[in-house]
């Protein structure tokens, strides 16, 4: 089921929590929703899941609109809200049974489905405990299990891996990737390695607006843009080298790491300066002992686009 | 309808899982039993085979008993965030409210069932006006429905259970005491209006054994109005500012 978000606006008083957002997610795609705290990720998810009505705009799942077919849409969405609220006084199995019943999952298939979810989410040891007695990681698994219990076509997960230990995080990511093959998944996070590991596409939003949209690799290329290299030149006086490097036509910026002979050179947009640097060293008889390209990672992209 | 029952069933089981149900039923039976059999104008004092004292006391115990039951209904879910979980399932706000209402009413029903032995023993002691007794039970049920409506509305207003409890007592006091005091201290049409608004007017006539549609409409309209208000408060999150 495709999700289509059209010009979504949500105002809280004078503040625009979500400001004219449009995007599309296709079936079988995992979309990572990224942004600093308070950027509007959770609000957007609450609107898609029909918990809140938008001030303006629309969301469509397949042919259904949240404005007219909320019932139908809610049935095909599995939602894990932020902070993972659960009925703490209910036993795990009982709770899963309730979740299935309330989503009108066929009663005859429910026990089988519960067993499957318990296995899939690794809840077997804890299934007879009350949810309140479980650790945070296990509660998170219960949250995921209740979201998937009715086999929804769309999964919306608000920070699914918070509170999990590193092993569990890997397991949950694998689970999400597995699910993402046939379902539409939107997950929000502010953990960057997570989106790189799980998502097919990333949307970064800041102050209610989309500031970047694309595949992780694409984004990194698109937003880092300039080539940066770290070079070490052994001979020559530092000032001399510095001055000559700056004179190269393809070089935009030269920085020098103090008291060493290491320089950081940033090229002009869409140009490479490595060959020129090499030639410069040859001409002057300097020994070039190090040249390392510096790759910007997603964290830089994130900082770049969200800090303006 | 199935969804409403699913929600009601969950709430109802929670009452029994968390001891709330047992404590409230024991308190209810203890209090009403004490005044029906042992103290004040009890059966042996009046020398009449009648359980009118039971209804008079139930009138007051329900006043405290029900807000304690309803205070958590929505306030707790708001506080824990589970309301978001619930409302993003394939349910409407109405189904949630009605489910919770039914669960509370069912618990009151269980408490009333447990009080039936009072009726049987009294009727074994002497000649009871059976009609009046069944009317009395109907009266309590209607009264409880109205209190539950008020309680659920109060619970929808806040995240804090204690505040919800106090708000529903506060609203209850108006229907229970203040309107009838006002009716007595005023005259003419105003007095009649307050008299009509006062719960005691309607409750007394039902427990005496007179079933008047006017009284039934009164209780049902309080219930309906309060549930409608609660639904409006819940749906307020949708209002675009």
């Amino acid at each position: 089921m495709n999700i289509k978000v059209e010009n979504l606006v949500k105002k809280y008083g004078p503040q625009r929590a979500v400001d004219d957002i449009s995007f599309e997610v296709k079936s079988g795609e995992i979309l990572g929703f990224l942004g600093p705290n308070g950027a509007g990720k959770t609000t957007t998810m609450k609107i898609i899941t029909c918990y809140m009505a938008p001030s303006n705009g629309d969301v469509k799942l397949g042919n259904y609109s949240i404005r007219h077919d909320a019932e139908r849409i809610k049935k095909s969405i599995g939602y894990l809200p932020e902070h993972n609220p659960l009925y703490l006084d209910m036993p795990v199995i009982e709770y899963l049974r309730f979740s299935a019943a309330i989503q009108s999952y066929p009663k005859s298939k429910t026990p089988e489905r519960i067993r499957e979810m318990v296995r899939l989410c690794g809840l077997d040891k804890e299934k007879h405990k009350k949810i309140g007695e479980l650790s945070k990681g296990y509660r998170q698994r219960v949250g995921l299990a209740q979201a998937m219990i009715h086999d929804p076509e769309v999964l919306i997960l608000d920070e699914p891996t918070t509170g999990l230990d590193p092993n569990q995080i890997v397991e949950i990511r694998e689970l999400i990737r597995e699910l993402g093959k046939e379902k539409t998944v939107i997950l929000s996070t502010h953990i960057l390695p997570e989106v790189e590991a799980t998502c097919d596409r990333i949307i970064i939003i800041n102050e209610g607006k989309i500031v970047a949209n694309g595949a992780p690799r694409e984004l990194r290329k698109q937003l880092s843009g300039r080539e940066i290299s770290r070079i070490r030149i052994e001979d020559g006086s530092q000032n001399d080298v510095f001055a000559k490097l700056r004179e190269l036509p393809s070089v935009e910026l030269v920085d020098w790491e103090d008291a060493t002979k290491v320089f950081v050179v940033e090229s002009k947009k869409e140009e490479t300066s490595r060959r020129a640097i090499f030639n410069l060293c040859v001409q002057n008889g300097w020994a070039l002992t190090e040249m390392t390209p510096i790759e910007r990672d997603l964290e830089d992209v994130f900082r770049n686009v969200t800090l303006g | 309808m199935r969804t409403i029952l699913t929600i009601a069933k969950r709430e109802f089981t929670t009452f029994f899982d968390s001891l709330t149900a047992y404590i409230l039923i024991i308190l209810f039976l203890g209090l009403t039993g004490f005044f029906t059999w042992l103290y004040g104008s009890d059966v042996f004092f009046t020398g009449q085979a009648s359980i009118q004292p039971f209804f008079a006391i139930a009138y007051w115990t329900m006043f405290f008993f029900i807000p304690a039951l309803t205070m958590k209904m929505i306030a707790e879910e708001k506080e824990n965030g589970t309301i978001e979980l619930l409302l993003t399932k394939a349910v409407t706000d109405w189904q949630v409210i009605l489910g919770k209402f039914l669960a509370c009413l069912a618990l009151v029903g269980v408490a009333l069932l447990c009080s039936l032995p009072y009726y049987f023993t009294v009727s074994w002691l002497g000649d009871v006006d059976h009609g009046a007794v069944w009317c009395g039970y109907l009266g309590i049920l209607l009264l409880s429905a109205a209190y539950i409506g008020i309680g659920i509305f109060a619970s929808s207003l806040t995240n804090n259970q204690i505040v919800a409890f106090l708000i529903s007592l506060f609203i209850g006091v108006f229907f229970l005491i203040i309107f009838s005091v006002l009716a007595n201290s005023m005259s003419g049409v105003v007095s009649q209006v307050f008299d009509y608004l006062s719960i005691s007017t309607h409750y007394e006539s039902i427990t005496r054994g007179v079933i008047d549609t006017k009284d039934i409409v009164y209780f049902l309209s309080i219930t309906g109005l309060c549930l409608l208000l609660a639904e409006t408060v819940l749906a307020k999150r949708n209002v675009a500012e």
Side-chain angles (χ1 to χ4, degrees):
Chain A
M1 211 176 229
N2 296 353
I3 304 175
K4 200 170 176 187
V5 175
E6 294 165 346
N7 305 93
L8 207 62
V9 177
K10 176 73 190 178
K11 292 182 220 161
Y12 293 118
Q15 195 195 350
R16 283 167 166 250
V18 174
D19 194 356
D20 202 17
I21 280 184
S22 307
F23 62 88
E24 238 178 290
V25 197
K26 295 208 167 53
S27 223
E29 193 175 30
I30 303 178
L31 174 76
F33 224 39
L34 218 66
N37 297 326
K41 294 171 292 194
T42 299
T43 308
T44 310
M45 293 188 148
K46 281 182 178 172
I47 293 173
I48 298 175
T49 52
C50 305
Y51 179 64
M52 264 186 208
S55 311
N56 227 326
D58 200 356
V59 177
K60 280 184 181 143
L61 263 82
N63 295 322
Y64 302 104
S65 150
I66 54 162
R67 292 195 179 270
H68 314 292
D69 320 288
E71 290 303 284
R72 183 67 190 71
I73 285 186
K74 287 198 250 180
K75 211 175 247 181
S76 40
I77 288 183
Y79 179 40
L80 174 69
E82 199 185 11
H83 310 310
N84 188 22
L86 294 165
Y87 292 114
L88 300 182
D89 46 6
M90 283 180 100
V92 175
I93 295 285
E94 216 31 64
Y95 179 58
L96 292 180
R97 195 171 296 141
F98 168 72
S99 303
I102 207 166
Q103 293 282 34
S104 327
Y105 193 74
K107 222 173 185 170
S108 54
K109 291 192 209 151
T110 302
E112 175 57 31
R113 181 73 186 161
I114 290 177
R115 267 198 295 280
E116 200 184 328
M117 282 294 111
V118 165
R119 187 184 51 75
L120 201 62
C121 298
L123 283 165
D124 207 40
K125 271 187 281 176
E126 314 280 334
K127 64 183 171 192
H128 294 299
K129 284 192 187 163
K130 281 191 176 180
I131 296 173
E133 294 165 0
L134 300 182
S135 68
K136 201 170 177 199
Y138 275 103
R139 284 187 202 182
Q140 200 71 18
R141 290 160 186 239
V142 176
L144 278 168
Q146 65 83 24
M148 298 184 298
I149 190 88
H150 57 295
D151 199 17
E153 289 172 73
V154 175
L155 270 176
I156 302 210
L157 311 170
D158 204 347
E159 304 195 358
T161 54
T162 40
L164 299 181
D165 67 41
N167 291 337
Q168 293 170 328
I169 289 182
V170 172
E171 282 173 38
I172 295 290
R173 275 186 201 159
E174 254 158 39
L175 181 62
I176 292 172
R177 254 203 312 265
E178 193 59 38
L179 290 166
K181 283 179 189 157
E182 41 199 298
K183 298 185 192 307
T184 317
V185 182
I186 299 184
L187 68 90
S188 89
T189 178
H190 44 239
I191 307 167
L192 292 154
E194 180 156 305
V195 275
E196 285 211 86
T198 32
C199 302
D200 305 318
R201 198 148 62 85
I202 301 178
I203 285 182
I204 302 181
I205 74 173
N206 189 34
E207 288 171 4
K209 288 192 169 78
I210 294 184
V211 286
N213 182 353
R217 194 174 302 159
E218 232 173 83
L219 270 193
R220 210 185 311 155
K221 214 194 304 178
Q222 174 191 333
L223 285 146
S224 46
R226 292 170 189 169
E227 177 195 88
I228 302 174
S229 334
R230 209 177 111 97
I231 56 178
R232 179 193 285 268
I233 294 173
E234 294 291 344
D235 312 301
S237 84
Q238 223 162 24
N239 285 328
D240 193 26
V241 175
F242 182 72
K244 290 216 163 114
L245 279 175
R246 285 189 59 175
E247 279 165 20
L248 290 175
S250 58
V251 169
E252 169 87 26
L253 250 172
V254 182
D255 205 0
W256 117 49
E257 288 181 11
D258 36 20
T260 60
K261 299 191 167 190
V262 177
F263 302 86
V264 176
V265 180
E266 189 175 332
S267 314
K268 287 199 171 119
K269 221 171 183 171
E270 287 166 18
E271 282 185 60
T272 170
S273 52
R274 289 186 186 139
R275 181 174 285 269
I277 293 170
F278 176 76
N279 287 335
L280 182 74
C281 293
V282 172
Q283 277 162 27
N284 292 283
W286 299 332
L288 179 63
T289 53
E290 184 187 334
M291 181 182 279
T292 329
I294 298 180
E295 259 211 5
R296 291 228 193 159
D297 56 12
L298 216 48
E299 317 239 348
D300 292 313
V301 175
F302 184 74
R303 261 195 299 278
N304 261 352
V305 295
T306 56
L307 291 178
Chain B
M1 194 60 206
R2 214 188 110 193
T3 315
I4 297 177
L5 288 182
T6 309
I7 295 173
K9 200 179 126 204
R10 196 199 74 79
E11 295 288 347
F12 191 71
T13 350
T14 311
F15 285 143
F16 283 89
D17 282 348
S18 65
L19 291 182
T20 327
Y22 302 106
I23 294 174
L24 287 179
I25 290 177
I26 289 169
L27 266 180
F28 174 71
L29 291 180
L31 270 176
T32 48
F34 182 67
F35 287 103
T36 313
W37 299 102
L38 299 174
Y39 187 77
S41 52
D42 61 277
V43 175
F44 304 111
F45 180 77
T46 54
Q48 282 178 337
S50 143
I51 57 166
Q52 286 309 315
F54 168 74
F55 293 126
I57 295 305
Y59 178 71
W60 282 101
T61 32
M62 288 299 178
F63 174 65
F64 291 104
F65 175 107
I66 286 173
L69 206 62
T70 53
M71 66 181 188
K72 68 173 210 129
M73 291 325 265
I74 296 172
E76 191 189 32
E77 297 227 23
K78 276 190 178 175
E79 179 70 20
N80 295 342
T82 43
I83 193 78
E84 185 176 346
L85 197 65
L86 190 57
L87 291 174
T88 49
K89 307 278 186 206
V91 298
T92 59
D93 296 2
W94 263 119
Q95 286 169 328
V96 170
I97 299 227
L98 286 179
K100 286 172 182 288
F101 172 77
L102 279 185
C104 294
L105 198 64
L107 185 64
V108 170
V110 170
L112 290 180
L113 275 182
C114 294
S115 75
L116 280 179
Y118 295 171
Y119 164 47
F120 295 140
T121 36
V122 170
S123 73
W124 178 65
L125 287 174
D127 230 359
V128 183
D129 181 353
H130 296 288
V133 170
W134 292 118
C135 285
Y137 273 111
L138 177 70
I140 295 196
L141 220 51
L142 285 170
L143 174 83
S144 307
Y147 279 159
I148 294 169
I150 293 172
I152 287 181
F153 167 58
S155 185
S156 73
L157 291 175
T158 163
N159 299 358
N160 186 317
Q161 299 189 37
I162 305 295
V163 173
F165 179 74
L166 293 176
I167 292 176
S168 53
L169 281 190
F170 182 72
I171 301 175
V173 159
F174 273 87
F175 285 101
L176 219 62
I177 304 173
I178 295 184
F179 288 150
S180 78
V181 171
L182 285 176
N184 288 335
S185 63
M186 297 201 192
S187 58
V189 184
V190 187
S191 164
Q192 275 172 8
V193 169
F194 281 125
D195 190 49
Y196 180 79
L197 282 176
S198 164
I199 279 188
S200 58
T201 324
H202 303 275
Y203 183 68
E204 271 159 24
S205 84
I206 288 191
T207 47
R208 253 187 279 119
V210 187
I211 297 185
D212 188 340
T213 23
K214 207 173 68 187
D215 300 327
I216 296 180
V217 167
Y218 169 81
F219 285 115
L220 292 184
S221 49
I222 292 187
T223 316
L225 182 69
C226 286
L227 293 183
L228 186 73
L229 286 174
E231 198 266 347
T232 316
V233 174
L234 254 196
K236 219 177 71 187
R237 69 182 194 283
N238 281 329
V239 176
E241 281 139 80

